[in-house]
Amino acid sequence: MCSSDLRRGAILNVSSSASYFPTPGLAPYGATKAFLTAFTEALIVECEQAEGVRIIGFCPGGMATNFQRAAGVKNEDSKVLMDPAKVAKRVVDLALTGRSGVYDHGSSTYVIRLLRRILPSRLYRTMMGRMLLRQR
């Protein structure tokens, strides 16, 4: 993807914390986000020799948008869902750092990633899957 003709620029892929857990009832969404996160990581490696080219992946948790309702998710807790304007500011700030990377955003995303690392896979899938099914 990063040819020698590519001299400067940035690619910003907005993924989701859904790339880290099973999404019953929204499997295509979760799978697409998992692909995008993995694709971004591959691009970072492919482009690391292209000076001036940054690849940024951004994986925010849930935001207070119409997506929750449109997707049939019953989670409108303002303590959990993030303000989209603040999330957008974080993305801009990351883009201005000049560094490539995949960045998580939001306390729920950090907890999800931690649980994924410390729990056995089967327990993690079961727990996350059940939690998400309750929100549908």
Side-chain angles (χ1 to χ4, degrees):
M1 175 96 185
C2 280
S3 70
S4 58
D5 296 336
L6 194 56
R7 304 218 191 304
R8 272 182 45 162
I11 296 173
L12 172 63
N13 290 327
V14 179
S15 187
S16 169
S17 62
S19 67
Y20 302 132
F21 56 85
T23 53
L26 294 170
Y29 176 79
T32 301
K33 294 303 185 176
F35 165 80
L36 186 58
T37 300
F39 179 67
T40 301
E41 289 177 333
L43 285 179
I44 290 168
V45 173
E46 287 183 18
C47 297
E48 63 189 356
Q49 300 303 317
E51 215 170 296
V53 176
R54 293 182 322 281
I55 311 296
I56 301 164
F58 188 66
C59 300
M63 290 184 276
T65 66
N66 290 334
F67 175 80
Q68 303 287 329
R69 190 172 301 129
V73 177
K74 299 172 191 159
N75 181 9
E76 297 183 14
D77 186 349
S78 61
K79 294 178 210 149
V80 176
L81 298 176
M82 296 181 289
D83 177 354
K86 290 179 181 176
V87 174
K89 182 181 179 333
R90 177 68 178 135
V91 171
V92 170
D93 290 346
L94 285 171
L96 295 175
T97 65
R99 293 179 301 202
S100 292
V102 174
Y103 301 92
D104 297 329
H105 186 66
S107 57
S108 63
T109 305
Y110 297 118
V111 170
I112 288 165
R113 294 285 304 266
L114 175 65
L115 291 174
R116 187 174 185 182
R117 281 194 296 271
I118 63 174
L119 294 176
S121 295
R122 186 173 180 177
L123 176 60
Y124 176 77
R125 279 192 313 271
T126 301
M127 184 183 78
M128 293 303 294
R130 286 182 182 164
M131 181 184 76
L132 288 165
L133 283 172
R134 276 186 301 210
Q135 293 180 354
R136 299 219 24 101

